[in-house]
Each structure stands twice: as structure tokens, then as C-alpha cells.
Amino acid sequence: MLKQQNLWSDSEPSPAALASTAPFSCDTMAFEEWLQFIFIPKLGAIVDAKQPLPSQMHLAPMASQVWQANPVYQPIIEQLIAMDDFINAAK
């Protein structure tokens, strides 16, 4: 969905940006960059290693805050709500 909304980047953030310790790397990159370059690869690595999924996830509130003024991103927010609900229900 990020690609469909032209939020997918061909350029990886700098190593310094990727090393951020702020929530969602909000001090060094846009939320969509964090999804693409940190969240998606990390979740993929967890699945590939057959490790347990996180016990809690709350991505949708951040997405809603970041994209609240742009309703075209609502399908992405809804997908993140579904992911949050799936992870949080699996307790």
C-alpha cells in the first residue's frame, strides 16, 4: 500500500537516521520511511526466524496522527489497525 500511495522510497535513510532511538525514529525520518526501512524488515526477520510476534503493537495511532490531514492514506491506516488488532488479540 505504501507503493500505491507513492510513499515508498528508493533511497535508504542514512545510517545515522536508521540508528535513531526515538519512537518510530520520528527525529530522523518520516513515518512511512520507518515502516519501510525498520518495521517491515524487522517483522520479516521475526517471521523468517520463526520467532514469536510482538505481544503488543500500536502502529495505527501514530499513522492516524501523521496522516490525519490526508484521507487518501486511510487505507494504509485501516491496514495498520487490522495488524494492531491481530497482534493485540493474540495475547
Side-chain angles (χ1 to χ4, degrees):
M1 292 195 133
L2 293 172
K3 288 180 183 179
Q4 293 170 338
Q5 297 298 335
N6 295 316
L7 294 174
W8 195 261
S9 177
D10 293 329
S11 303
E12 187 168 319
S14 71
L18 292 168
S20 171
T21 58
F24 305 105
S25 300
C26 64
D27 60 338
T28 61
M29 64 181 78
F31 181 64
E32 59 268 16
E33 291 174 308
W34 178 85
L35 286 170
Q36 179 182 350
F37 294 106
I38 295 179
F39 176 73
I40 294 171
K42 187 173 185 174
L43 191 61
I46 289 170
V47 170
D48 289 346
K50 296 183 170 86
Q51 296 295 314
L53 294 173
S55 61
Q56 295 240 337
M57 193 161 69
H58 303 285
L59 301 177
M62 181 65 171
S64 294
Q65 179 180 350
V66 169
W67 295 322
Q68 67 184 341
N70 203 336
V72 72
Y73 300 140
Q74 190 60 38
I76 301 171
I77 295 169
E78 290 172 8
Q79 189 69 36
L80 293 173
I81 290 169
M83 289 176 67
D84 285 352
D85 289 348
F86 175 79
I87 293 294
N88 296 332
K91 295 179 191 179

